[in-house]
């Protein structure tokens, strides 16, 4: 008689898990107030008081800057827009290289490409899955202009070391903190640890406004450049008397008053949501750490994890089955777990075929680019090992889940482990 559901046994869980919903009466009231004004966005793409947007946008920016302890917060309509604006503000362009992570949402690398700069992939740290400082060092060339670091899964990268490297080499650092709002690094908020930090307010993230994002910086000049790129820079620079025209090609990355009003309410919920994620993670970690062959998430000293994703490492040699076979068995038990995260980005067709902007392979083929970037399989062996063999990722920490739900997740893991000989 098989016990495992994959072999015809009864699944541990046969009802769906509750979803994650942080939107309540506070957000509804805030939206109604905006609708009553009839003014859903107040930006004007010219040098005018409304260049900075309407009252809710400016209120959210003030609250965000105060909360995170930064001088400037610039709202945008997505973290993707925020990353693009940050690369633009950094002054990167054709001929430059930008060091990026291969193990992240695509935009954290694409941001370099849209300015004609070359993404150079460094490898990740096998414990926290963020860029490894040593690998960054190895990838720096005379063409390197900036580094885009990602606080992946909600754990801050090793920012002290990375900022030290950047200052030595005179590089700007952009911190993609889309997954880590509210996480802490040595008493400071992640997202505030570099020259610019990018937050996401997309629906899938810990707090959200449907779509949206925020870029933070302590630098007045970078803040001005971000605001210009957000809002039609090319027709504002004359009136504003801006002298540095590099990358002053504008976009419409503006947030609406509705999203800003929701964002103010969501920000109030952030610390309790992060606390709840940490309680759930601690509950799981206590139980998973009793299973030999599973490595529970690492939290570096001085870090409060954001637990956007709960990462586990699976040692196939201990279990005698592959990670993917194990994940199949969990799925049959009613537990959906990610096999790795996203495919290492350099393996995607855009990099493999070196076609990005236009048909002639710009910027890879640009004659002014003198570097020799590689996108060959194998350039980031840790990332490939994690993605293809070891890493399991779960959306196991959100506040929709009760401890009874977590018990089912753990029970499914234990059941598969105890009956692993059936696989
Ligand atoms: C979600 C995400 C983004 C993009 O956020 P959007 O607001 O959806 O554009 C960028 N980087 C990382 C690491 C993300 O997880």
């Amino acid at each position: 008689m098989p016990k495992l559901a994959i072999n015809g046994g009864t699944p541990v869980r046969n009802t769906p898990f509750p979803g994650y919903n942080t939107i309540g009466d506070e957000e509804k009231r805030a939206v109604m107030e905006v609708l009553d004004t009839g003014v859903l966005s107040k930006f004007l793409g010219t040098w005018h008081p409304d260049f900075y947007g309407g009252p809710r946008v400016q209120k959210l920016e003030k609250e965000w800057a105060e909360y995170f302890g930064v001088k400037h917060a610039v709202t945008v309509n997505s973290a993707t827009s925020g990353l693009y604006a940050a690369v633009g503000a950094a002054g990167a362009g054709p001929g430059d290289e930008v060091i990026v992570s291969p193990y992240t949402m695509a935009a954290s690398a694409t941001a370099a490409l849209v300015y004609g700069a070359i993404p150079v992939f460094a490898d990740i740290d096998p414990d926290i899955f963020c860029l490894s400082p040593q690998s960054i060092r190895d990838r720096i060339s005379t063409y390197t202009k900036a580094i885009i670091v990602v606080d992946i899964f909600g754990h801050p990268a090793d920012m002290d070391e990375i900022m030290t490297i950047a200052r030595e080499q005179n590089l700007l650092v952009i911190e993609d903190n889309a997954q880590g709002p509210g996480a802490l690094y040595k008493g400071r908020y992640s997202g505030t640890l570099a020259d610019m930090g990018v937050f996401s307010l997309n629906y899938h993230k810990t707090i959200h406004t449907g779509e949206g994002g925020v870029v933070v910086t302590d630098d007045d000049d970078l803040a001005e450049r971000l605001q210009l790129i957000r809002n039609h820079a090319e027709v504002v620079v004359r009136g504003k008397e801006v002298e540095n025209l590099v990358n002053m090609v504008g976009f419409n990355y503006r947030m609406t008053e509705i999203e800003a009003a929701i964002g103010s309410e969501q920000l109030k919920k952030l610390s309790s949501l992060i606390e709840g994620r940490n309680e759930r993670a601690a509950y799981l970690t206590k139980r998973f750490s009793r299973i030999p062959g599973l490595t529970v998430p690492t939290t570096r000293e001085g870090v409060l994890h954001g637990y956007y994703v709960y990462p586990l490492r699976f040692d196939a040699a201990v279990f005698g089955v592959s990670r993917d076979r194990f994940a199949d068995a969990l799925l049959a038990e009613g537990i959906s777990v990610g096999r790795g995260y996203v495919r290492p980005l350099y393996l995607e067709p855009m990099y493999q075929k070196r076609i990005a902007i236009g048909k002639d392979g710009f910027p890879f083929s640009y004659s002014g680019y003198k570097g020799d970037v590689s996108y060959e399989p194998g350039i980031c062996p840790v990332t490939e090992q994690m993605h293809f063999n070891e890493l399991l990722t779960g959306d196991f920490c959100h506040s929709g889940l009760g401890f009874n739900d977590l018990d089912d997740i753990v029970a499914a893991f234990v059941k598969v482990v105890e009956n692993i000989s059936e696989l």
Side-chain angles (χ1 to χ4, degrees):
M1 272 278 286
K3 285 215 180 70
L4 292 181
I6 198 170
N7 294 329
T10 309
V12 169
R13 175 95 183 194
N14 46 31
T15 54
F17 284 94
Y20 180 51
N21 185 358
T22 60
I23 302 298
D25 289 338
E26 309 79 10
E27 285 79 6
K28 286 184 203 163
R29 259 196 308 275
V31 169
M32 289 310 291
E33 280 174 24
V34 177
L35 292 178
D36 283 340
T37 68
V39 180
L40 308 192
S41 178
K42 206 160 183 278
F43 274 103
L44 211 54
T46 183
W47 185 229
H48 176 279
D50 290 343
F51 170 71
Y52 295 108
R56 265 100 185 159
V57 160
Q58 294 194 38
K59 176 171 174 279
L60 175 59
E61 291 179 342
K62 190 161 171 281
E63 291 164 351
W64 201 277
E66 275 167 18
Y67 188 100
F68 290 100
V70 290
K71 197 161 173 199
H72 303 280
V74 179
T75 55
V76 282
N77 57 7
S78 72
T80 300
S81 305
L83 286 161
Y84 291 10
V87 170
D96 294 331
E97 293 180 341
V98 178
I99 294 175
V100 297
S101 172
Y103 217 37
T104 175
M105 189 265 177
S108 357
T110 313
L113 274 177
V114 298
Y115 279 91
I118 299 287
V120 172
F121 293 97
D123 209 351
I124 61 170
D125 178 290
D127 295 325
I128 59 170
F129 316 106
C130 303
L131 279 180
S132 129
Q134 185 54 49
S135 183
I136 290 175
R137 233 181 235 292
D138 294 343
R139 294 292 200 267
I140 290 172
S141 77
T142 47
Y143 314 107
T144 311
K145 177 82 179 178
I147 307 169
I148 302 177
V149 177
V150 185
D151 301 320
I152 200 74
F153 306 152
H155 191 295
D158 289 321
M159 290 306 290
D160 277 354
E161 266 180 272
I162 292 170
M163 292 311 291
T164 301
I165 297 168
R167 292 296 170 253
E168 274 168 31
Q169 308 279 338
N170 203 18
L171 306 174
L172 272 179
V173 181
I174 298 164
E175 185 183 5
D176 177 350
N177 186 45
Q179 302 190 358
L184 291 168
Y185 176 86
K186 303 181 187 178
R188 289 189 294 154
Y189 280 110
S190 66
T192 70
L193 308 168
D195 297 295
M196 287 175 274
V198 181
F199 294 76
S200 176
L201 289 167
N202 170 266
Y203 166 66
H204 294 105
K205 302 296 158 65
T206 297
I207 58 172
H208 80 102
T209 60
E211 302 285 354
V214 185
V215 189
V216 300
T217 182
D218 284 329
D219 184 296
D220 297 342
D221 182 52
L222 289 173
E224 178 183 59
R225 290 168 61 74
L226 290 165
Q227 288 157 344
L228 284 160
I229 291 169
R230 167 176 71 177
N231 190 11
H232 306 292
E234 68 276 19
V235 288
V236 182
V237 287
R238 186 177 42 82
K240 200 170 189 297
E241 297 177 13
V242 172
E243 307 222 318
N244 178 5
L245 296 187
V246 173
N247 292 342
M248 287 299 105
V249 176
F251 295 86
N252 175 351
Y253 290 159
R254 307 175 310 204
M255 179 180 268
T256 72
E257 290 289 285
I258 294 177
E259 289 151 349
I262 298 172
S264 288
E265 296 305 324
Q266 288 278 289
L267 185 58
K268 293 179 195 161
K269 301 180 178 179
L270 179 59
S271 67
S272 77
L273 291 169
I274 294 296
E275 206 176 295
R277 282 179 183 266
N278 274 277
E279 282 167 15
R280 287 169 182 77
Y283 191 84
L284 292 171
T285 291
K286 191 168 166 196
R287 286 154 183 80
F288 286 141
S289 57
R290 297 185 193 126
I291 302 177
L294 288 182
T295 304
V296 296
T298 297
T299 302
R300 294 259 205 265
E301 210 182 311
V303 162
L304 176 71
H305 204 307
Y307 284 114
Y308 173 65
V309 167
Y310 185 85
L312 277 170
R313 280 170 60 180
F314 177 88
D315 187 341
V318 170
F319 293 107
V321 304
S322 72
R323 186 232 14 220
D324 288 355
R325 181 79 179 135
F326 188 82
D328 286 342
L330 282 174
L331 189 60
E333 300 298 339
I335 308 301
S336 170
V337 56
R339 297 138 203 250
Y341 183 52
V342 294
R343 246 177 109 71
L345 290 176
Y346 52 86
L347 299 178
E348 295 295 347
M350 181 169 70
Y351 296 105
Q352 290 299 306
K353 297 186 187 306
R354 297 191 182 224
I355 299 288
I357 296 165
K359 62 180 173 24
D360 296 327
F362 184 86
F364 309 109
S365 60
Y366 171 54
S367 61
Y369 172 57
K370 305 296 184 195
D372 61 347
V373 68
S374 169
Y375 300 127
E376 287 299 304
I379 56 169
C380 297
V382 177
T383 305
E384 293 183 24
Q385 172 64 11
M386 291 302 137
H387 184 68
F388 294 110
N389 301 314
E390 284 193 39
L391 186 64
L392 292 166
T393 50
D395 188 10
F396 295 158
C397 299
H398 71 75
S399 60
L401 297 173
F403 289 90
N404 55 326
D405 295 314
L406 303 187
D407 287 339
D408 282 349
I409 294 169
V410 173
F413 272 81
V414 169
K415 181 181 168 192
V416 175
V417 169
E418 286 179 350
N419 297 280
I420 200 98
S421 60
E422 274 190 41
L423 292 180

